Amino acid sequence: MFGSWRSRRKKLFIFTGLFLLVVFLGFKLYPYIFPEPNCFDQEQNGDEEDIDCGGSCAAICHDNILPLEIRFSRFIETEENLFDLMALVQNPNSDKNLEGSILDYTFSIYDKAGALVHKIPATTLMPIGQTFPIIMQNVPVNFEGSGNAVSRISLDIENFNRPWVRVDEVFKNNFFFVEDYIFEREKNNISQLNVSLKNITRATFKDVPVRVLLSDERGNVIAVNETLIKDIAPEATAELSFTWRIPLEIENPEVNIYPIVTPDTYIR
């Protein structure tokens, strides 16, 4: 009888130990077997509106993104078979933007025969809730066949290649003011535009692209250019200079200046 009791007690200890081990392993393995919903599990769960987007997720679902509008595109021959390309784009999204504010796009160039002669993919910074130009300068074009001149260009936007995320609506505002500009059509055999651009905020900015379009009296863009503000202090003024290698044909162009501000260029 004594041996029988020892045997039963031994079995009880083994059973209890196994039970505690199973409970312990279950506790440790439960998060892996039944993970909490998150924004990176390739499933629509939790409060998501679609797979890993919407709700409490930072990523924006594509159905909630307003499409970009291409106002127009234009090519400018600056020298023989050398071109500047530009397009004016409207981003209507004021509270969301591409991750990193980086837009993928492609310029396509067509000759007089309608043939595609050049296709150039690139990226650019995109501001939030604003109209902005995309500029590509000094593009060489070599023609083959019957179409020995450029007839048109097109811009294709790959705006879903990167995720969209929520941003503060403050970035749809204007942060800079053009205090003054002086255009000199012919100065030492070049054209030059000098611009005084004031930071009208109490924030510091860094690496801000500034793009400029010059247009004739009919609104046709005749020249484009771009420079970079490396950094600018609160309420300071940046003195910018844009030059063209040969004198432009117009004396008093309309000047439009576009500072490209994104969350990454803004320091509170």
Side-chain angles (χ1 to χ4, degrees), residues 232-249:
I232 183 169
E235 300 180 347
T237 297
E239 301 296 337
L240 308 177
S241 182
F242 304 86
T243 59
W244 290 266
R245 289 179 292 187
I246 58 175
L248 303 177
E249 296 179 357

Side-chain angles (χ1 to χ4, degrees), residues 19-75:
F19 175 78
L20 292 176
L21 179 62
V22 169
V23 170
F24 175 78
L25 291 175
F27 177 77
K28 288 293 186 180
L29 295 176
Y30 184 87
Y32 300 96
I33 301 172
F34 304 102
E36 289 290 326
N38 62 67
C39 297
F40 309 98
D41 56 14
Q42 301 298 311
E43 294 182 12
Q44 184 179 352
N45 46 31
D47 64 351
E48 297 171 0
E49 298 175 24
D50 204 338
I51 297 175
D52 293 343
C53 67
S56 59
C57 294
I60 305 295
C61 298
H62 288 168
D63 289 345
N64 296 327
I65 300 168
L66 298 174
L68 306 183
E69 176 189 347
I70 302 173
R71 298 285 182 85
F72 63 85
S73 56
R74 179 171 172 77
F75 66 89

Side-chain angles (χ1 to χ4, degrees), residues 2-212:
F2 181 73
S4 177
W5 163 244
R6 289 186 61 184
S7 176
R8 288 199 301 271
R9 187 173 63 173
K10 184 177 180 181
K11 291 179 180 178
L12 179 62
F13 285 159
I14 292 172
F15 175 80
T16 303
L18 289 174
F19 175 78
L20 292 176
L21 179 62
V22 169
V23 170
F24 175 78
L25 291 175
F27 177 77
K28 288 293 186 180
L29 295 176
Y30 184 87
Y32 300 96
I33 301 172
F34 304 102
E36 289 290 326
N38 62 67
C39 297
F40 309 98
D41 56 14
Q42 301 298 311
E43 294 182 12
Q44 184 179 352
N45 46 31
D47 64 351
E48 297 171 0
E49 298 175 24
D50 204 338
I51 297 175
D52 293 343
C53 67
S56 59
C57 294
I60 305 295
C61 298
H62 288 168
D63 289 345
N64 296 327
I65 300 168
L66 298 174
L68 306 183
E69 176 189 347
I70 302 173
R71 298 285 182 85
F72 63 85
S73 56
R74 179 171 172 77
F75 66 89
I76 303 162
E77 188 168 12
T78 55
E79 297 180 26
E80 185 176 2
N81 293 345
L82 193 65
F83 295 83
D84 287 350
L85 313 179
M86 68 80 51
L88 195 65
V89 179
Q90 168 69 30
N91 178 12
N93 299 281
S94 61
D95 61 348
K96 60 184 74 74
N97 206 22
L98 286 158
E99 190 172 60
S101 302
I102 298 174
L103 176 69
D104 299 293
Y105 70 91
T106 300
F107 271 121
S108 298
I109 303 174
Y110 298 86
D111 66 14
K112 290 288 187 180
L116 176 65
V117 295
H118 213 0
K119 199 167 186 176
I120 315 166
T123 62
T124 185
L125 287 182
M126 181 172 71
I128 297 154
Q130 296 182 13
T131 300
F132 67 102
I134 294 174
I135 294 173
M136 187 177 289
Q137 294 184 273
N138 301 318
V139 177
V141 178
N142 297 315
F143 298 97
E144 296 180 1
S146 59
N148 58 355
V150 174
S151 64
R152 66 181 181 91
I153 67 169
S154 66
L155 176 72
D156 295 313
I157 292 175
E158 308 294 340
N159 59 322
F160 294 114
N161 281 1
R162 302 175 189 270
W164 286 67
V165 295
R166 293 184 182 89
V167 294
D168 195 319
E169 286 198 59
V170 69
F171 290 105
K172 71 179 181 181
N173 297 331
N174 293 317
F175 299 95
F176 292 89
F177 173 74
V178 179
E179 289 187 316
D180 192 20
Y181 68 82
I182 299 174
F183 175 72
E184 297 178 272
R185 190 190 77 85
E186 188 169 358
K187 180 181 180 180
N188 299 324
N189 293 320
I190 65 170
S191 285
Q192 183 167 306
L193 174 70
N194 295 317
V195 177
S196 298
L197 193 64
K198 182 178 177 62
N199 175 4
I200 58 176
T201 75
R202 296 181 181 274
T204 297
F205 296 86
K206 65 175 183 178
D207 298 329
V208 179
V210 181
R211 299 166 188 166
V212 60

